[in-house]
Amino acid sequence: MRLRRRRTLAYVKSSKPTPIHPQSLSNELVDAYLSGSRLALARVITRVENDPSLFPALRKALDGRLGKGVRIGITGPPGVGKSTLTSAIALGLAGKGHKVGVIAVDPSSPFTGGAFMGDRVRMDALVGNPDIYVRSLASREGHGGLSPSTPYVAEVIEGYGMDRILIETVGVGQAELDVLRCADIVVLVLQPSTGDTIQTLKAGIIEAADLIVVNKADLPGIDSALQSLRFLFSLSGPRPDKPAPPVLATSAQQSSGIEKVIAEIEKQAGELISSGRHEAMRARRLVEEIRQSIQKELWTAFDSTIGADAAIAKEAAKLAKTGGSPYEFVRKACAKVRIEPVK
Ligand code: GDP
């Protein structure tokens, strides 16, 4: 009873991060996190979420702990049952012996916000499970995209020991595309009446989907939906690098069809790992991370040398008035900047 209460508390706490001083990623906290404390995990995530620049320091401690985890993006229009399905998949994977992290990026998801409290039955099933860790992240304000810290949070959760990480998105706008950059396997969730809404999906999502799940199979129209989606996706695939995605039916609410979805995810995960594609995808993500890191370092060096924002604004205002090319300014500014090698 006491244990359960503590877990619930840890979850509620983690869903509402309190502002913490960025310097507070102490050795004690990192040690507690590495030795398996959930409370420490929640705290480390909060700190990295608040200040992603803390991650590089933590990264060293994660050596040897990263690289095996499979990230499964779960995306699709709002209301199709992504959260319900995510819960069911998390439970199913945990039942098969996996350690499962769930990142829910959706302020209106039952994992977070007002609906969370009203949806305890579903959440209790996850929150009380020692093999599942659920974390909500605020979506990027105004853009509906993944929080910029999501890839780091995924690493923190993987470094804690989770080998399957489900990333559920808000299902509209930029988040759908962002999840592709984070995920090894993309699951697109639809429902029987999706015929019309499919046009509203971002084109990249349809091509990126590795698995289509038509949820709410208990509703009328499931057979024709499956038929037309199978036809549609057989046309849009196969891409040269991947086969057409299977189209499976579930009723997450009635826990039906989930086993097949999990079997397909595990089949794809196994193929990714054995073919070396999982490693290649990780390398691609690292390229992006290194590139972004260099851009950030360069900008910081630039800014600390010439006070870039103010200097650029001043130069732009001058050019707008007098005309002329900005590139002389760029050349001179670059000549002034010295890059200190990273220690
Ligand atoms: P999300 O917005 O895509 O995350 O969708 P939710 O998981 O919040 O579900 C939206 C609504 O659909 C909720 O009222 C769920 O109870 C309901 N729902 C989820 N799965 C099913 C299902 O398999 N069948 C039916 N009929 N309703 C479902």
Side-chain angles (χ1 to χ4, degrees):
M1 183 64 197
R2 225 178 126 203
L3 193 61
R4 184 174 179 77
R5 189 170 152 72
R6 237 188 8 212
R7 280 192 186 123
T8 308
L9 265 177
Y11 173 72
V12 171
K13 195 176 171 103
S14 70
S15 71
K16 288 211 162 92
T18 43
I20 290 160
H21 195 274
Q23 293 308 320
S24 52
L25 204 56
S26 65
N27 288 342
E28 291 74 27
L29 178 59
V30 173
D31 285 347
Y33 152 78
L34 292 174
S35 59
S37 156
R38 283 218 171 187
L39 193 57
L41 168 62
R43 289 200 171 139
V44 170
I45 292 176
T46 300
R47 282 151 175 76
V48 169
E49 190 188 1
N50 288 346
D51 181 4
S53 73
L54 290 176
F55 185 73
L58 179 67
R59 180 66 185 74
K60 276 190 192 144
L62 299 182
D63 246 2
R65 289 175 169 244
L66 300 178
K68 299 271 182 284
V70 177
R71 299 173 187 193
I72 300 134
I74 298 178
T75 189
V80 296
K82 291 183 298 299
S83 296
T84 317
L85 188 69
T86 301
S87 295
I89 293 174
L91 284 169
L93 286 169
K96 294 205 175 314
H98 289 291
K99 302 278 181 200
V100 187
V102 178
I103 302 176
V105 190
D106 177 358
S108 65
S109 153
F111 287 114
T112 62
F116 165 63
M117 298 313 282
D119 229 325
R120 302 204 69 121
V121 179
R122 251 189 282 164
M123 290 311 104
D124 273 358
L126 294 193
V127 171
N129 192 313
D131 297 320
I132 300 177
Y133 178 78
V134 183
R135 176 65 187 221
S136 61
L137 290 184
S139 64
R140 210 182 305 158
E141 243 172 72
H143 299 284
L146 287 193
S147 153
S149 61
T150 305
Y152 299 126
V153 171
E155 304 247 289
V156 172
I157 292 177
E158 187 184 341
Y160 181 79
M162 303 318 204
D163 65 336
R164 294 291 180 268
I165 296 152
L166 307 178
I167 306 172
E168 185 219 327
T169 71
V170 65
V172 281
Q174 188 59 33
E176 285 179 324
L177 295 178
D178 284 354
V179 82
L180 308 184
R181 283 188 277 275
C182 276
D184 300 307
I185 297 171
V186 174
V187 180
L188 173 59
V189 189
L190 302 169
Q191 63 182 31
S193 58
T194 310
D196 312 329
T197 52
I198 203 145
Q199 330 294 353
T200 68
L201 293 171
K202 298 235 177 209
I205 287 290
I206 293 178
E207 275 105 49
D210 299 296
L211 169 60
I212 315 294
V213 175
V214 188
N215 189 41
K216 306 197 185 181
D218 51 293
L219 296 185
I222 182 67
D223 290 335
S224 64
L226 285 175
Q227 208 176 11
S228 55
L229 286 167
R230 280 184 181 134
F231 178 67
L232 177 73
F233 284 99
S234 72
L235 292 181
S236 73
R239 284 185 2 187
D241 59 334
K242 59 200 270 182
V247 180
L248 299 177
T250 58
S251 174
Q253 216 172 39
Q254 299 173 1
S255 299
S256 85
I258 309 296
E259 280 300 313
K260 278 194 178 157
V261 169
I262 291 173
E264 179 60 31
I265 288 173
E266 285 303 294
K267 180 175 151 240
Q268 293 193 16
E271 284 166 3
L272 279 181
I273 293 166
S274 63
S275 66
R277 274 183 57 217
H278 185 248
E279 208 174 285
M281 289 164 103
R282 188 168 160 74
R284 265 211 304 274
R285 282 200 296 263
L286 279 168
V287 166
E288 191 53 33
E289 194 176 325
I290 293 168
R291 193 193 293 265
Q292 281 178 13
S293 220
I294 290 175
Q295 281 171 354
K296 201 162 156 260
E297 290 291 331
L298 286 175
W299 183 257
T300 305
F302 213 78
D303 200 31
S304 61
T305 312
I306 65 162
D309 280 335
I312 292 170
K314 196 168 154 208
E315 178 68 13
K318 191 182 100 192
L319 290 173
K321 204 176 272 172
T322 62
S325 159
Y327 298 107
E328 183 62 8
F329 167 81
V330 172
R331 200 180 57 75
K332 282 187 183 154
C334 288
K336 280 188 203 161
V337 175
R338 285 212 182 287
I339 308 296
E340 297 292 335
V342 178
K343 290 185 189 83

